[in-house]
Amino acid sequence: QVQLVESGGGLVQPGGSLRLSCAASGFTFNIYTMSWYRQGPGKERELVAAIPSHGGISNYADSVKGRFTISRDNAKNTVYLQMNSLKPEDTAVYYCNAKLVIGIATPYSYWGQGTQVTVSS
């Protein structure tokens, strides 16, 4: 069955770094757009970064541009989020998402269970 398993979250001080990983299985990873979303306390889930199926141009939320980098390894069925210069407002549960859009049909979309990132001194 489809699985997205996030790892790498934790507690970090402001200015620190973390790298999140999302290991995928059960679907054809290399044709899916992969994304990271986050949901902070009392906030709606928001898109953090997305990367197309075969790399290329990624897009980022304005709040993380220049600090976060999304990447993928299609040979390992894994997507990463390198987070640098972390701020307290980056505190959230981070979710991995896989999406495939085919024409006008309802997209295929899968979610991981989330990993907690807490930025605090």
Side-chain angles (χ1 to χ4, degrees):
Q1 76 274 23
V2 172
Q3 281 194 309
L4 293 172
V5 180
E6 299 102 332
S7 61
L11 174 63
V12 63
Q13 291 187 342
S17 298
L18 283 175
R19 189 174 86 148
L20 305 183
S21 299
C22 172
S25 60
F27 62 99
T28 308
F29 179 82
N30 64 8
I31 64 172
Y32 278 69
T33 293
M34 298 301 299
S35 303
W36 288 96
Y37 286 73
R38 67 185 181 187
Q39 187 165 15
K43 298 181 180 179
E44 294 187 354
R45 191 173 297 191
E46 63 173 351
L47 176 66
V48 175
I51 185 167
S53 58
H54 289 282
I57 299 174
S58 302
N59 63 286
Y60 297 89
D62 287 343
S63 58
V64 307
K65 281 180 182 176
R67 300 188 298 122
F68 290 11
T69 302
I70 189 171
S71 61
R72 65 190 294 161
D73 185 337
N74 286 345
K76 295 183 178 179
N77 285 4
T78 302
V79 62
Y80 305 97
L81 185 68
Q82 178 67 43
M83 306 186 294
N84 298 329
S85 303
L86 282 161
K87 305 175 181 180
E89 51 263 45
D90 294 318
T91 294
V93 178
Y94 284 71
Y95 297 91
C96 177
N97 173 261
K99 181 181 280 188
L100 176 65
V101 179
I102 302 176
I104 60 172
T106 301
Y108 294 86
S109 182
Y110 308 120
W111 291 92
Q113 82 289 351
T115 186
Q116 176 70 47
V117 172
T118 302
V119 184
S120 175
S121 55

